[in-house]
Amino acid sequence: MNIESSSPLKLFNTLAIDAVAEYFAQPVTMGEVAECLQFAREKMLSVKVLGGGSNVVMADHISGLVLKYRARECEVLHQTESEVTVKVGAGYDWHQFVLECLSRGWFGLENLAYIPGTVGAAPVQNIGAYGVEVKKSIKSVNGIFLSDGRNFCMPAQQCGFGYRESCFKGELEGKVLITSVEFTLSKIADVQIGYAPLDRLAKERGVPTPAQVAEWVIEVRKSKLPSPAELPNAGSFFKNPVVTSEEYLNLLAEYPEMPSYEQSDGFKIPAGWLIDKLGLKGVSFGVVKVHEFQALVLVNDGGSAEEVLKAAQSIRSAVVKGFGIELEQEPRLFN
Ligand code: FAD
Ligand code: NAP
């Protein structure tokens, strides 16, 4: 097992932060993972788990051992005429997995096409897009505890899934390596096209098949979101805040044009709209710029973690000052 020291991770994070890990390894088998954990124990190193690096802000120097687990098996565990349960290695590229499902006639993930990252990270923030969250297709999450290598198999109901949340971002953060995810997918098409861009296309082009939903999602995303390969970014930098009914009515009185979506616990306001309304779209904070078309995306032109976080803090302060709303950062600090 090759464990590199002082390993550059610029190519392993989509913000392209010029980070260096004290140690870095890319195990493929559980035997190799065990070897890495033994190495970390002997050297008394902390262990950090990385996927595709598309939802992290990397510190310039990352202490300890960074593990990027690469297993990418896809095994059918069980199937009936109407559904299939598959177990997928954490290292499988998420978008490739979505395409693989569609090619095999397994449905449910099509709205989540073109999200960067790995299968193993999908449950971590319960990835979501265009009205679908991955939790609805997850049966269980398998992994090991980093402290002692013990296995776990956690049914979806115990994963604490919420809006861009799970226990893997909560009490288990930094404590586990997710090794595979089991999904139950439908063989019967049931397309979700409620979000405006998909609804609009359906009106123009007719009701889509699941594969067409994925094509439309890819088309819309390509037109709105900068590719990290060209403009380094971590997708939405902030979560959409949910405000109480009272706060919502106060804001609406001042901004009648404000978009909002009613939730069980209040009203969701698009964070991108708040940032845009403050005139910050396209504005640069040093080498970090608010994207010109998508105010939720911060583009990093060679900045360090400190510079990215400083820019984010300036935006958060402006939103508190302008609207009295605290934005929550989505990508995790990886240090
Ligand atoms: P990383 O960024 O490597 O890691 C994220 C977190 O998960 C870290 O805390 C890491 O320690 C942990 N982690 C990763 N793998 C494992 C594992 N095997 N075991 C345990 N912990 C692990 N997100 C959405 O929800 N919806 C979107 O529509 C969306 N669009 C995006 C568009 C762009 C252009 C970009 C850059 C990002 C977008 N994201 C979106 C965010 C991101 O792609 C997802 O959160 C994705 O799931 C992160 O996967 P990753 O493998 O890159 O994880
Ligand atoms: P958008 O269509 O410009 O809409 C802005 C926000 O309004 C979205 O974040 C979405 O919330 C919310 N919204 C829109 N229609 C809604 C509806 N019918 N019901 C409830 N909420 C609605 O969004 P966008 O930025 O282009 O992104 C499109 C989708 O991709 C969104 O679901 C978004 O979450 C996802 N995305 C996520 C990331 C990330 O890094 N997390 C990056 C890019 C895109 P929700 O976010 O709750 O869906």
Side-chain angles (χ1 to χ4, degrees):
M1 182 72 240
N2 180 26
I3 300 177
E4 292 169 23
S5 61
S6 302
S7 189
L9 294 188
K10 187 172 179 178
L11 296 179
F12 291 92
N13 74 99
T14 62
L15 277 165
I17 290 173
D18 207 354
V20 175
E22 189 178 359
Y23 291 98
F24 180 54
Q26 303 190 59
V28 181
T29 63
M30 287 312 291
E32 288 179 342
V33 170
E35 243 182 86
C36 292
L37 294 184
Q38 177 64 22
F39 175 87
R41 262 193 299 275
E42 280 164 11
K43 289 200 168 307
M44 300 214 295
L45 301 169
S46 57
V47 179
K48 280 128 204 186
V49 180
L50 183 66
S54 63
N55 212 20
V56 288
V57 179
M58 278 190 180
D60 304 346
H61 293 279
I62 303 161
S63 60
L65 171 63
V66 174
L67 284 187
K68 181 171 165 62
Y69 181 57
R70 300 201 81 116
R72 53 184 312 280
E73 78 280 357
C74 179
E75 182 192 348
V76 174
L77 296 180
H78 174 73
Q79 61 183 318
T80 64
E81 266 184 24
S82 58
E83 58 180 37
V84 59
T85 299
V86 285
K87 182 176 168 182
V88 188
Y92 209 121
D93 178 86
W94 174 260
H95 176 62
Q96 290 308 320
F97 173 57
V98 173
L99 296 183
E100 176 71 23
C101 290
L102 289 167
S103 75
R104 297 206 198 188
W106 302 339
F107 308 132
L109 301 177
E110 46 279 359
N111 294 49
L112 306 178
Y114 218 57
I115 296 180
T118 54
V119 164
V124 174
Q125 79 151 3
N126 178 27
I127 54 169
Y130 299 99
V132 171
E133 292 180 331
V134 74
K135 71 174 183 185
K136 88 169 173 58
S137 301
I138 291 181
K139 180 169 178 277
S140 60
V141 175
N142 304 316
I144 59 166
F145 290 95
L146 295 170
S147 54
D148 55 10
R150 228 172 348 117
N151 293 309
F152 67 84
C153 171
M154 197 179 290
Q157 300 78 345
Q158 288 173 23
C159 293
F161 287 131
Y163 175 61
R164 307 291 186 268
E165 279 301 341
S166 78
C167 65
F168 308 109
K169 258 182 122 172
E171 68 265 29
L172 291 181
E173 183 172 16
K175 295 188 177 149
V176 299
L177 165 70
I178 293 168
T179 51
S180 63
V181 182
E182 293 178 27
F183 297 89
T184 296
L185 300 162
S186 179
K187 293 183 181 177
I188 300 157
D190 177 20
V191 293
Q192 305 298 316
I193 47 173
Y195 266 41
L198 302 182
D199 182 51
R200 211 174 299 127
L201 288 171
K203 288 196 172 100
E204 277 168 38
R205 303 174 186 179
V207 178
T209 63
Q212 283 169 324
V213 171
E215 279 168 25
W216 295 0
V217 166
I218 294 169
E219 184 183 326
V220 175
R221 291 181 73 107
K222 279 187 173 168
S223 71
K224 288 180 78 171
L225 281 170
S227 155
E230 286 154 28
L231 297 173
N233 74 86
S236 304
F237 208 87
F238 304 102
K239 290 187 188 177
N240 293 317
V242 175
V243 300
T244 63
S245 305
E246 194 188 339
E247 289 165 326
Y248 166 70
L249 289 173
N250 286 340
L251 284 166
L252 199 63
E254 205 169 334
Y255 307 101
E257 76 285 15
M258 180 180 73
S260 63
Y261 302 93
E262 193 167 1
Q263 309 289 291
S264 55
D265 54 346
F267 288 83
K268 179 171 70 180
I269 316 285
W273 183 86
L274 297 170
I275 297 168
D276 193 8
K277 190 76 190 164
L278 292 169
L280 295 178
K281 217 186 227 180
V283 169
S284 291
F285 296 84
V287 288
V288 179
K289 185 175 181 181
V290 179
H291 189 249
E292 279 159 29
F293 305 134
Q294 175 47 281
L296 254 194
V297 173
L298 300 189
V299 174
N300 181 31
D301 187 10
S304 62
E306 205 183 337
E307 286 169 292
V308 172
L309 295 174
K310 204 169 150 205
Q313 187 50 46
S314 303
I315 295 165
R316 289 174 68 171
S317 301
V319 171
V320 170
K321 201 165 161 219
F323 302 100
I325 294 177
E326 272 286 352
L327 291 184
E328 194 185 331
Q329 183 174 314
E330 189 179 289
R332 307 304 264 191
L333 180 63
F334 195 86
N335 61 352

